[in-house]
Structures are given as C-alpha cells and as structure tokens.
Amino acid sequence: MAFLMKTMLSNQVKNLGLGGGGEESKEESAPSDPAAAAGMTREEYEEYQKQMVEEKMERDAAFAQKKAERACLRVHLREKYRLPKSELDENQIQMAGDDVGLPEDLQKMVAEDQVEEEDKDSILGQLQNIQNMDMDAIKEKAQATFTEMKQAAEQKCSVM
C-alpha cells in the first residue's frame, strides 16, 4: 500500500516539475566519456592515464626496493644473532633482483658495530675487560675449583 502511494505521489510531483525528478536529469546530463568529465580532450586524457600508470609503477618499484632493503636488514640481523632464516625475506630480496643491499646509513651502523666487536675480541679489548673484573672473586673461584679437583682426585686415588 505504501509503495502504491509513493509511486502515485512521486509521479504527480514529477509532472508538476517541482524537482521530484531532478535525479534523473542529473544522470542524463553527466557525460559518458571520462575525458569530457575531466574537462580534457581524448588525447590529453590518454596521456594523463599513461602518466598515472607510470607513476604508479615507479611508486611500486620504490616500495618493493624498500621492502627488499628491510628484508636484507632482517636477514643480516638473523645471521648476526644466529636466528632462524625466513623464506619470506629471501623471496622479497629475490623479487627485487638480488642487487639489494643495506641502505648507506645502516651500512655505517653495521660497520661501527663490527669495529666495536673486533675491538672487544682483540687482546687490548680483553685487557680492558680484565681491569673491570674483580680479581679477588676470580682468585677465590680458582681456589675453590682447585680444592674440589683435589678432593675428587683423593677419593678416586688410593695412593694420595
């Protein structure tokens, strides 16, 4: 019943021209050609579309490169800390063309870390660590270990 009333009233309003049929006229006046809708000629619109596609491809390539660089960093960290490898990271690096490396600022950070680790591993680094150690505690631990070994040897050997 409500549908019947609505259709009858809307038809009456459309016939009077009071704006009830304004939606239809808007749809009819909209051009079907997207170039005309954008206010361009067909050639300008096609050039614009090509330009948009090229820009999207450039953005996608830059995004893939950044993803590959991040994956490379994760691979590097996994190797450094001996964590399990991830196939996803390796696939991202391969998709980017295997010519992906760490970004320059990260390479500098890695180089600084390696220099610090080499310094710690060197003899001078070990000597600096000795200065920080508690010699009394080390001496006590060595004496305790020696006495434990002596007691174990006395229990096993009947000559001592």
Side-chain angles (χ1 to χ4, degrees), residues 133-150:
M133 290 183 185
D134 184 16
M135 293 304 284
D136 293 331
I138 293 173
K139 189 185 274 186
E140 289 176 10
K141 188 173 182 180
Q143 287 176 346
T145 304
F146 179 73
T147 55
E148 286 177 15
M149 288 175 48
K150 186 176 178 184

Side-chain angles (χ1 to χ4, degrees), residues 28-75:
E28 292 173 5
S29 67
S32 61
D33 188 19
M40 298 182 223
T41 64
R42 188 84 162 138
E43 292 80 25
E44 289 175 339
Y45 185 74
E46 288 175 2
E47 182 65 31
Y48 174 74
Q49 287 297 326
K50 286 179 187 177
Q51 193 175 26
M52 295 299 287
V53 168
E54 288 174 3
E55 288 176 4
K56 183 179 182 334
M57 290 175 61
E58 289 174 7
R59 285 193 310 270
D60 290 345
F63 181 69
Q65 180 72 20
K66 287 289 185 183
K67 281 178 68 174
E69 287 175 357
R70 291 184 199 116
C72 186
L73 176 65
R74 287 191 297 270
V75 167

Side-chain angles (χ1 to χ4, degrees), residues 153-160:
E154 287 175 356
Q155 289 176 355
K156 289 182 181 177
C157 183
S158 59
V159 176
M160 294 181 120

Side-chain angles (χ1 to χ4, degrees), residues 12-25:
Q12 294 290 334
V13 173
K14 286 179 190 177
N15 291 337
L16 291 175
L18 296 176
E23 295 174 6
E24 291 178 9
S25 64

